[in-house]
Amino acid sequence: MLQPMNDRHDLEIALSSHFPLLTIQSHEETRVLTLLRDVALRLRRPLYTWSLTEGLKRDDMGFEPSVQWSRIGTEMGATPQNKETEKGPGEMLTQLAGLDDNAVVVLCDFHPYLQENLAIRHIKEIALAHESRPLNVVLLSHDVELPSELQPFAATFELSLPDEATLRALIQEEASKWSKRNGNSKIRTDREAFSLLCRSLQGLTQSDAKRLIRNAIYDDGAISHSDIPGAMKAKYELLGGDGLLSFEYETARFNEVGGFEALKRWVETRKAPFIGELKGVDAPKGVMLLGVQGGGKSLAAKAVAGGWGVPLLRLDFARLYDKFFGESEKNVRRALQSAEAMAPCVLWIDEIEKGLATGDNDSGTSRRLLGSLLTWMAEKDAPVFIVATANDISALPPELIRKGRMDEIFFVDLPRAETRAEILRIHLQKRDIEHAGIELLSLAEAAEGFSGAELEQAVVSAIYSAHADSAEVNTELLLSELQRTRPLSVVMAEEIQGLRGWAAGRTVAVD
């Protein structure tokens, strides 16, 4: 099993320090024990492990039973009748007195007993005697919370997550295993799909990464682009997706988005720095998409993630608010930590003004949430690209929209005629409607002031009408649906003009 050099080095330092207790919180017990055996051998120290099922046993490689170890069972009165009692935590802690002075003792899943006074006292006495008897006790579990009596004597070791080189080696290792089991058949893949899978596994433990690699390979003997969304969703669930963020399984591509040419160019030039293919260049932080409702801002957010081949996470502020003081801030911090664990990813904050609009009726909660978000944006190192969408700029706090918070603010206006024609073509093609005989440019001219969402709805309504009349969708049917609609540009003309006035000179047009 692959063991990073820094893990071995850091664990060796931890076991050589003056701390008698070491806590390791991990689900990868097998990997940690392998690492401990390696380090114990390098330090020439005996290694013992204890579990409730196996009891206390010598566990380092190439050991020869010592005098102390051979006496433990008889001194404690072990007999065939009380072997189960011998495996218990009380007996084990008593047995530690008979071990080598410089031994390392690993207690697996000992955390339930850290609430018992007798166990706490036994471990504390070992810690107090560390200078005269340098015995190290390692507490290994998925969840380790030391009582206050033991905290001053303990250090913490964190197992590193696999880096890109390790993940590539894991993929190749699993591919080789599959090949041997299938008559030396070769795994089908390409460089881009391989890199995307490797990127999607970042942030996972080795064991979790290997499971997802097997899922991708063993399904069809290939690593393809179709494996990536499932791997990303499984990764989100493994990292404990708790509902504060939603994983958007369906992303998009920019060829599914009409217009947005300036945004498309901006995003494309920043892909390599964001996903790590271009070193030495600052990674992009995020953009705000401001504009009229139904203009395609949400679709553009999905297209950024789809174009970069990274997960899309959606942050809904309504899920974060809690009636108890301080809980909303904890929720936003947990959500942002989850986003960092999924990095590289796109974090989509839809209608951000509704979550951060400050006022007099929320007891300062919005202001505190804004503070938490701004602090994270300033300090984060993980590649999390923010796409924030907003309809009402007047409701946004000025701290969020000043230069430096986001890389750019784009204004999404109502589409121009050529863009409207493109949007109609995209929605007809998406629904397998033959559009060669449809006069798209004429329809686009007739749809002056329509948003992308309104154009889509006109296509949908025309399909319903055609089905009811057993006819085909044509120019006349689409024109009729457009003429029946009063677009938002008419209904909310004053608001849209005000929004355009604010955006002029302050934002970059997406088209």
Side-chain angles (χ1 to χ4, degrees):
M1 184 177 291
L2 299 167
Q3 299 291 355
M5 287 294 294
N6 60 316
D7 277 351
R8 289 199 296 268
H9 177 262
D10 292 348
L11 184 56
E12 189 171 329
I13 290 175
L15 290 176
S16 302
S17 69
H18 64 280
F19 286 101
L21 308 181
L22 182 65
T23 63
I24 305 178
Q25 188 166 306
S26 175
H27 287 276
E28 296 187 281
E29 182 178 297
T30 301
R31 183 182 167 201
V32 174
L33 289 175
T34 301
L35 185 60
L36 282 163
R37 292 186 192 105
D38 185 18
V39 171
L41 189 64
R42 290 165 60 88
L43 295 175
R44 298 182 179 276
R45 298 183 63 179
L47 179 71
Y48 298 88
T49 59
W50 173 88
S51 70
L52 191 58
T53 54
E54 296 292 328
L56 186 65
K57 63 180 183 180
R58 183 77 179 257
D59 201 19
D60 48 320
M61 292 176 282
F63 95 93
E64 294 181 4
S66 63
V67 176
Q68 297 97 321
W69 177 249
S70 62
R71 290 203 306 260
I72 288 176
T74 55
E75 287 178 357
M76 295 296 100
T79 65
Q81 287 75 26
N82 62 4
K83 281 185 179 178
E84 290 305 314
T85 304
E86 182 189 353
K87 294 178 182 179
E91 290 296 322
M92 176 273 297
L93 291 170
T94 305
Q95 291 176 14
L96 296 188
L99 299 186
D100 311 75
D101 285 347
N102 66 336
V104 177
V105 185
V106 187
L107 308 184
C108 300
D109 289 334
F110 193 77
H111 58 281
Y113 307 106
L114 290 174
Q115 308 302 318
E116 297 181 4
N117 293 333
L118 184 59
I120 293 171
R121 185 60 201 178
H122 266 299
I123 295 175
K124 185 175 181 180
E125 287 176 355
I126 292 171
L128 291 169
H130 185 68
E131 287 193 16
S132 59
R133 184 170 181 252
L135 185 75
N136 282 99
V137 176
V138 180
L139 297 159
L140 169 59
S141 175
H142 72 284
D143 183 21
V144 183
E145 186 173 348
L146 288 181
S148 57
E149 298 96 317
L150 301 180
Q151 289 175 5
F153 306 102
T156 299
F157 172 78
E158 291 186 7
L159 198 63
S160 67
L161 296 173
D163 58 14
E164 183 178 352
T166 304
L167 289 170
R168 286 180 174 274
L170 286 173
I171 296 172
Q172 291 165 350
E173 179 184 303
E174 291 302 319
S176 177
K177 288 180 182 178
W178 183 91
S179 179
K180 289 179 181 178
R181 293 177 183 177
N182 291 272
N184 292 321
S185 301
K186 289 187 177 181
I187 295 292
R188 302 186 309 277
T189 187
D190 58 63
R191 183 177 297 178
E192 185 181 8
F194 188 97
S195 296
L196 284 172
L197 178 61
C198 185
R199 194 184 312 147
S200 70
L201 298 173
Q202 291 177 5
L204 293 176
T205 64
Q206 276 197 20
S207 57
D208 285 339
K210 288 177 77 170
R211 279 194 286 271
L212 295 193
I213 293 167
R214 291 189 192 114
N215 286 346
I217 294 175
Y218 284 56
D219 177 39
D220 54 3
I223 297 173
S224 62
H225 289 74
S226 62
D227 293 316
I228 309 306
M232 290 176 177
K233 188 171 189 297
K235 174 182 174 180
Y236 176 70
E237 292 168 352
L238 284 169
L239 291 173
D242 51 12
L244 297 176
L245 287 176
S246 59
F247 181 91
E248 298 292 316
Y249 192 83
E250 296 293 336
T251 57
R253 296 280 181 174
F254 270 121
N255 60 10
E256 301 172 39
V257 182
F260 286 79
E261 297 304 325
L263 178 64
K264 291 175 183 178
R265 290 192 298 271
W266 191 96
V267 169
E268 183 59 31
T269 58
R270 286 156 178 80
K271 177 180 178 179
F274 180 74
I275 64 177
E277 292 179 352
L278 181 61
K279 306 297 182 183
V281 179
D282 290 349
K285 295 180 288 187
V287 295
M288 178 172 290
L289 303 180
L290 167 70
V292 298
Q293 295 181 27
K297 299 186 294 296
S298 298
L299 184 60
K302 294 180 178 181
V304 173
W308 285 353
V310 298
L312 177 65
L313 304 177
R314 183 176 180 180
L315 176 61
D316 184 353
F317 275 101
R319 299 185 183 187
L320 303 181
Y321 279 91
D322 193 285
K323 64 180 178 180
F324 296 108
F325 184 82
E327 288 301 313
S328 298
E329 299 92 298
K330 289 182 183 178
N331 285 343
V332 75
R333 287 193 292 270
R334 283 169 51 206
L336 296 174
Q337 286 170 359
S338 296
E340 287 187 329
M342 287 291 292
C345 66
V346 170
L347 179 62
W348 171 26
I349 310 177
D350 197 22
E351 297 186 334
I352 191 171
E353 74 273 25
K354 292 184 178 180
L356 295 179
T358 54
D360 301 325
N361 300 321
D362 67 347
S363 304
T365 301
S366 294
R367 178 65 59 181
R368 293 193 298 273
L369 288 184
L370 174 64
S372 297
L373 179 61
L374 294 180
T375 300
W376 175 78
M377 289 170 65
E379 297 178 352
K380 72 179 176 71
D381 294 320
V384 178
F385 185 82
I386 299 172
V387 178
T389 65
N391 300 319
D392 183 6
I393 195 68
S394 65
L396 283 172
E399 302 98 308
L400 185 65
I401 58 177
R402 73 163 176 81
K403 277 291 185 181
R405 298 296 188 195
M406 301 279 189
D407 295 311
E408 196 58 83
I409 301 176
F410 286 93
F411 180 62
V412 182
D413 204 343
L414 293 169
R416 297 174 297 180
E418 57 268 30
T419 303
R420 294 195 295 272
E422 184 184 1
I423 292 171
L424 287 168
R425 179 192 61 77
I426 288 171
H427 287 299
L428 288 167
Q429 185 173 303
K430 184 178 178 181
R431 293 162 177 83
D432 297 323
I433 303 296
E434 177 57 50
H435 56 81
I438 296 176
E439 300 174 14
L440 295 177
L441 289 177
S442 298
L443 291 170
E445 292 294 339
E448 176 72 32
F450 276 63
S451 68
E454 290 163 340
L455 291 169
E456 180 181 16
Q457 191 55 48
V459 170
V460 172
S461 297
I463 293 172
Y464 283 139
S465 297
H467 180 72
D469 297 338
S470 299
E472 292 185 354
V473 176
N474 55 33
T475 303
E476 291 72 24
L477 200 53
L478 285 164
L479 182 61
S480 175
E481 294 299 335
L482 290 172
Q483 290 172 343
R484 286 196 186 100
T485 304
R486 295 190 68 199
L488 201 64
S489 60
V490 174
V491 177
M492 300 184 66
E494 294 80 9
E495 288 85 345
I496 291 175
Q497 280 303 115
L499 191 57
R500 284 174 174 157
W502 185 94
R506 292 186 175 98
T507 64
V508 176
V510 296
D511 265 333

